[in-house]
Amino acid sequence: MSKMLEGKVALVTGGSRGIGAAIARALAKDGADVAISYASAKDRAGSVVAELKALGVRAKAFQADQGKTAEVGNLIAAVGSHFGRVDILVNNAGVLVLGEVHDRANNLTEFDRMFDINVRGVAAAVRAVAPLMTDGGRIISIGSVVGESTPFAGAADYSGTKAALLGLTRGWARDLGPKGITVNAVQPGPIDTDMNPSENGEFSDTQKSLTALGRFGTAEEVAAAVTFLASPSASYITGSTITVDGGFNA
């Protein structure tokens, strides 16, 4: 029985753990060959690649710093050269730094780094991959519910980067629509990962209380939205956002 993404090549940035690794596994289960990028966790990336190959697809990990646009461009070129094509780009790599603006007035270094990874790196990847994609190409960026609302103090800088991502997604959908390439975003809410564990005292309890379902989501629930957008079933969806947040922004 053929799988809906068989014959496709996907790149998942930041695919060595958490949501990125879950997305890579889901794409592979649907038949796609999968490349993942990692910044420093070579061993962990290697473990994910072994899992993907066990699913019967081609897979490879590439090292790249998402905050350095030259490395991002080289990453896209390397994936295209190794696999012969790139059909699906999932911009998952990102960082989160919290802090209230009046406590961080003289510390723009963290903001610059977060913007470089969460926004500039994504822009560099899309610019590099667009010429390689043909009709049916898919670009999917992982945003955040705080790109639309900021329900607690200290998240303004992060919210700003994710809001920028939504604006870029809509604009890129217009730019790339004539080529038959769709561009969409997935906005997770509180998701149980090692970066944001569901059992983390008051902070996690507060996040749960803000959801309609009263719980954290799983990385696999986010991955399900990504694989849908990557599939032929989503061919008429572009410039849109799927929110996977348990009702956090309801």
Side-chain angles (χ1 to χ4, degrees):
M1 182 177 179
S2 64
K3 299 180 179 180
M4 65 180 182
L5 296 179
E6 192 169 9
K8 303 293 186 180
V9 173
L11 166 60
V12 182
T13 66
S16 66
R17 63 177 180 175
I19 292 172
I23 292 170
R25 294 186 196 101
L27 292 169
K29 287 176 182 177
D30 280 337
D33 295 325
V34 181
I36 63 171
S37 73
Y38 66 94
S40 59
K42 182 177 181 179
D43 291 344
R44 192 159 51 198
S47 296
V48 173
V49 167
E51 290 183 59
L52 302 179
K53 288 182 176 178
L55 294 170
V57 303
R58 294 185 297 161
K60 185 175 175 62
F62 298 80
Q63 194 281 328
D65 184 335
Q66 192 71 15
K68 298 179 179 178
T69 55
E71 290 192 22
V72 174
N74 290 338
L75 166 67
I76 301 297
V79 173
S81 176
H82 181 81
F83 289 94
R85 58 191 296 158
V86 182
D87 303 289
I88 301 161
L89 169 65
V90 182
N91 294 303
N92 168 75
V95 295
L96 165 64
V97 179
L98 298 175
E100 296 181 25
V101 66
H102 53 279
D103 292 332
R104 305 172 68 236
N106 296 317
N107 184 9
L108 290 174
T109 301
E110 289 178 339
F111 174 78
D112 287 342
R113 177 65 176 165
M114 188 160 53
F115 193 89
D116 284 345
I117 294 173
N118 295 0
V119 181
R120 291 184 188 277
V122 174
V126 171
R127 282 165 165 76
V129 82
L132 304 182
M133 285 187 169
T134 58
D135 189 3
R138 301 283 190 266
I139 296 171
I140 304 159
S141 297
I142 306 302
S144 170
V145 288
V146 299
E148 291 187 346
S149 68
T150 311
F152 49 83
D157 290 350
Y158 181 68
S159 293
T161 66
K162 294 304 184 178
L165 192 60
L166 293 183
L168 290 169
T169 294
R170 291 188 290 267
W172 290 334
R174 290 287 187 184
D175 291 347
L176 297 175
K179 292 187 64 176
I181 299 168
T182 66
V183 188
N184 293 290
V186 172
Q187 289 191 147
I191 304 298
D192 187 16
T193 64
D194 58 354
M195 292 180 66
N196 187 29
S198 62
E199 301 301 328
N200 190 29
E202 183 178 352
F203 184 58
S204 58
D205 289 344
T206 298
Q207 292 178 76
K208 290 175 190 176
S209 72
L210 291 172
T211 70
L213 296 178
R215 68 171 177 87
F216 271 52
T218 68
E220 288 72 24
E221 288 171 316
V222 178
V226 173
T227 54
F228 167 68
L229 288 173
S231 75
S233 297
S235 59
Y236 199 57
I237 300 174
T238 194
S240 296
T241 302
I242 294 181
T243 300
V244 185
D245 70 345
F248 189 93
N249 272 354

